[in-house]
Amino acid sequence: MSQATAGFRSLDPTLARLAAGSASWVNQNAGMRAALALETAEAVAAHADRWVEASLAIKAADSADSAQHRSAIEAEETATGPLSTLRLLLATARAWQEIAEHGRPAGSQAPRVEHPAAGSAGPASFIGVEVLPVPKLHDQAIFQGHRATVRCVNPGGIAAFEATWREEVAERPMAGGLAAVLAAGNVTGLGPADAICQIFEHGRAVVLKPHPLHAPLEPVYRDAFAPLFAAGLLAIVPGGAETARALTAAAAVTHVHLTGGQAAFDALVWGGQPAAAGGQPHLTKPITCELGNVTPWIVVPGRYSSGQLRYQADLAAASIANNTSFNCIATKCLVTCRDWPQRDEFLGHVTRRLGSLAPRQAWFPGAAAAWAEATGRSVPGDGTLPWHLARDVDPTADRRLLEREWFCPAAAEVALPAADIEAFCSHATDFVRGLPGSLAASVTMPETLGQRDRQRAELLVEHLRYGVVAINTWSALAYALGSVPWGGYPGSTLADPGSGIGRVHDPLMLPLVHNSILRAPLAGSLTPAWVPWHRSGKRLAQGVLAMYAAIARGGRGFGPLLRMLPAVVWG
């Protein structure tokens, strides 16, 4: 018997246990599902410190680093690991509590018809569902001035949408079966979040294969998600590509979910080769996936105050620097107007912010080689990767930084010629459609536009083909919220998956999702915790985590909220 065959057969008891757990799970009522989500949230909170410590070791953040450098990484690891997981579980528990009481979850406002002039069921008509703020999570304090609207295709008015939504809630969680979740290695919360979505949104048990980088986290995951293990709904199987192939080939596995890159998708679905016309995929099971993006940040020209310009430049710089730019949603292309009078000032702010940050270790596999190829420079001898922003890239002459998602701290700025807002918005729409991916984009929009130009800028947002469009903030915030459906723009196929197929982070189980719009203030008095130079980012992230933990235990979270206010103000 070969080692591969023996390894395959050793999975059988685990998969059989999960299949039994799934069969039992589909019969559980909404109240029991809500209770399990809350129990899991408590366990995650109890082991959050261990989770963060293991993450810091993976990302080569040690005591030799400066206090600010380590604090910034610790804030990131808290926010993208246990904190975001805890928030997703709380949103999930609340959705199931509402299903138990009312038959479906509730948004923060009643659904409404958007673009009614197109006709209640016209092709440009959507049903808008507000999903931020989430009740009882103190979002009004944490996310002041933010709104998140999920746009669903209008099936014929509010009554028809309500009926369709109730059908979705009744049917989607009854899918059952067993999902193999193949997790990415850049963010420690990705795999657990994907598993939570499969379990609570689709009614599937999950066999989770973490990325090999996350092997040190396996004992933490087992404790943090102990309620899901005990319920027969989760198992962890470590390993690499061979384990992934064994899992996807196993008869007990009925669904596959992948977070990774195009190469991983092609290996899994097409046997290592890009899809051929008329070819048959090697993978015959349903697959959902998230595959990344060459993420643009579009700056609409106009007059910004100095404070607004600095705030938006800071957010753009942070979106490049966060997690050493090892994010599928890291900004990779700043899109500006060549004739915008404040362009140099804006780019100067971005460049200075990046230059103020210490380079970070190239801990992600292949990052050093990618950085050298992207920048044309040699990697420093200490193993760190300096921040690189290539200004005024001509996309007609050099598309090196634009033709693929570079998993390293390198980004480009492209200045589009345009005499007015109309020309810029048209040019920007066409330009970003030529970038790979459709996951998410950010747009900075001035407040000083006249009515006609404001309407044209809103049409830019309307016409962007991305799963999430964020106005005046980094689009990654939509993922962190946990209540905004996350995935590529509709229309992906196995032959052309783009940024992925399907969505995660949809605890409200919304039907007919088209895409989502996240809106934020142009400038805010509060500095987000994910900004690397936040003077109290670590304290703020830990404070939000403590607040969510108190809520998971049945409290209201006011104590942690009040205690972290100095950290919020001191940003």
Side-chain angles (χ1 to χ4, degrees), residues 168-179:
E168 187 79 11
V169 169
E171 295 176 5
R172 191 197 298 183
M174 302 302 290
L178 171 56

Side-chain angles (χ1 to χ4, degrees), residues 114-407:
E114 297 197 338
H115 310 308
S120 62
S125 177
F126 297 105
I127 301 294
V129 180
E130 299 293 330
V131 296
L132 185 73
V134 175
K136 300 184 179 180
L137 295 188
H138 304 297
D139 284 348
Q140 292 90 340
I142 305 296
F143 303 111
Q144 293 181 8
H146 289 66
R147 285 174 45 214
T149 306
V150 183
R151 306 195 306 168
C152 304
V153 174
N154 188 349
I158 296 297
F161 178 76
E162 289 277 5
T164 304
W165 192 358
R166 289 179 181 274
E167 289 177 9
E168 187 79 11
V169 169
E171 295 176 5
R172 191 197 298 183
M174 302 302 290
L178 171 56
V181 170
L182 311 178
N186 56 318
V187 175
T188 63
L190 289 179
D194 291 343
I196 289 165
C197 295
Q198 290 295 321
I199 291 168
F200 289 98
E201 296 172 23
H202 298 278
R204 300 179 180 119
V206 168
V207 53
L208 171 64
K209 190 201 80 63
H211 191 282
L213 273 176
H214 293 168
L217 276 162
E218 184 178 338
V220 179
Y221 286 159
R222 291 188 184 279
D223 292 338
F225 300 100
L228 299 180
F229 280 89
L233 295 173
L234 180 63
I236 293 177
V237 176
E242 185 173 311
T243 301
R245 287 190 293 269
L247 287 173
T248 56
V253 171
T254 60
H255 186 90
V256 177
H257 182 82
L258 167 71
T259 300
Q262 180 74 48
F265 178 86
D266 287 341
L268 194 64
V269 176
W270 299 101
Q273 300 297 323
Q280 293 299 309
H282 288 216
L283 182 69
T284 58
K285 298 173 181 179
I287 182 171
T288 48
C289 55
E290 193 262 272
L291 304 179
N293 199 49
V294 175
T295 306
W297 191 308
I298 302 169
V299 183
V300 177
R303 182 63 197 171
Y304 297 85
S305 71
S306 59
Q308 292 168 344
L309 201 69
R310 282 195 302 272
Y311 188 84
Q312 289 295 305
D314 276 357
L315 295 185
S319 74
I320 296 170
N322 181 272
N323 198 31
T324 324
S325 213
F326 300 147
N327 290 320
C328 63
I329 200 62
T331 294
K332 292 299 171 184
C333 182
L334 294 173
V335 182
T336 64
C337 178
R338 181 171 299 283
D339 300 314
W340 175 37
Q342 291 180 290
R343 173 176 167 242
D344 285 342
E345 184 182 356
F346 174 80
L347 293 175
H349 283 312
V350 174
T351 302
R352 283 191 293 274
R353 270 303 192 192
L354 292 175
S356 71
L357 299 174
R360 296 188 185 181
Q361 290 292 322
W363 56 265
F364 196 82
W371 186 88
E373 184 180 354
T375 64
R377 297 158 58 188
S378 298
V379 176
D382 63 359
T384 62
L385 300 179
W387 313 103
H388 178 83
L389 175 63
R391 293 173 55 166
D392 205 13
V393 170
D394 182 354
T396 65
D398 182 7
R399 296 191 63 85
R400 177 180 49 187
L401 288 170
L402 308 174
E403 63 189 6
R404 57 175 271 201
E405 179 188 28
W406 292 94
F407 238 50

